[in-house]
């Protein structure tokens, strides 16, 4: 199985990136102004229930390597069962980002503790794309939803978006986009559980998905 790692990071002159994977460090290749890439072949079949953890590091001249803030990135067993290829599309997480202060234990267990029980459903086994996002600034009674273009993403429906499930610090969902036209614009939103309505969209422009998936090739987006 071939795993393609795409890291969205715009480096400056003299900077380069590496990925730490299976207790080894590999150099990544500059792809374009937006992405760095690394291709990795798994050694033999992946055992059911297994997962692979990895982390990115930024290197600058005469400085110690800077780790990506999200040290808990991993590839689940469901994704590792893809027969041919897996595409991982990540965004570099800066340790100095404002929202990371609210990911610490005091904020998550006391100030931002969700007092409203979250509805959980089993993630579908048939899918092409798995979406994962962190949202440490959510208030109690709020959850993350996904909206986008195309039938699989409910045609930007603000009344019936796709709801993400909480898994540790991540919000996760899986979608079958095998019949959609790419690229696909999408955006995350905040869902008000009490009012059962969309409260707000995430700030910034729409996200764009350029990586199509199929039954033998899946895509993970962080």
């Amino acid at each position: 199985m071939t795993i393609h790692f795409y890291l969205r990071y715009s480096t400056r002159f003299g900077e380069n990136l590496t990925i730490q994977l299976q207790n080894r460090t590999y150099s990544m290749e500059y792809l374009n102004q937006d992405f760095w890439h690394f291709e990795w072949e798994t050694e033999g079949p992946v055992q059911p229930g297994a997962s692979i953890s990895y982390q990115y590091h930024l290197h600058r001249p005469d400085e110690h390597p800077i780790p990506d803030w999200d040290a808990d990135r991993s590839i689940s067993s469901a994704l590792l069962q893809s027969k041919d290829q897996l595409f991982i599309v990540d965004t570099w997480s800066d340790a100095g980002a404002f929202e990371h202060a609210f990911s610490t234990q005091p904020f998550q267990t006391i100030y931002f503790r969700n007092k409203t029980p979250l509805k959980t459903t089993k993630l579908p086994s048939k899918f092409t794309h798995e979406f994962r996002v962190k949202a440490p600034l959510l208030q109690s009674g709020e959850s993350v939803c996904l909206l986008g273009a195309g039938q699989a993403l409910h045609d930007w429906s603000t009344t019936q978006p796709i709801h993400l499930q909480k898994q540790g610090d991540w919000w996760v969902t899986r979608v079958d986009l095998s019949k959609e036209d790419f690229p696909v614009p999408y955006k995350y939103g905040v869902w008000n559980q009490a009012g059962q309505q969309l409260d707000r969209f995430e700030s910034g422009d729409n996200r764009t998905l350029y990586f199509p998936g199929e039954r033998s090739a899946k895509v993970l987006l962080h």
Side-chain angles (χ1 to χ4, degrees), residues 176-220:
D176 184 353
L177 299 178
S178 58
K179 297 181 180 180
E180 302 299 328
D181 295 325
F182 284 77
V184 175
Y186 70 99
K187 205 175 186 70
Y188 293 108
V190 176
W191 184 258
N192 183 302
Q193 298 176 55
Q196 287 296 294
Q197 62 184 9
L198 179 70
D199 185 75
R200 62 190 181 275
F201 283 98
E202 63 174 325
S203 60
D205 297 333
N206 291 342
R207 300 172 185 250
T208 304
L209 176 54
Y210 295 98
F211 298 83
E214 53 191 44
R215 290 185 179 180
S216 60
K218 290 183 170 55
V219 181
L220 170 62

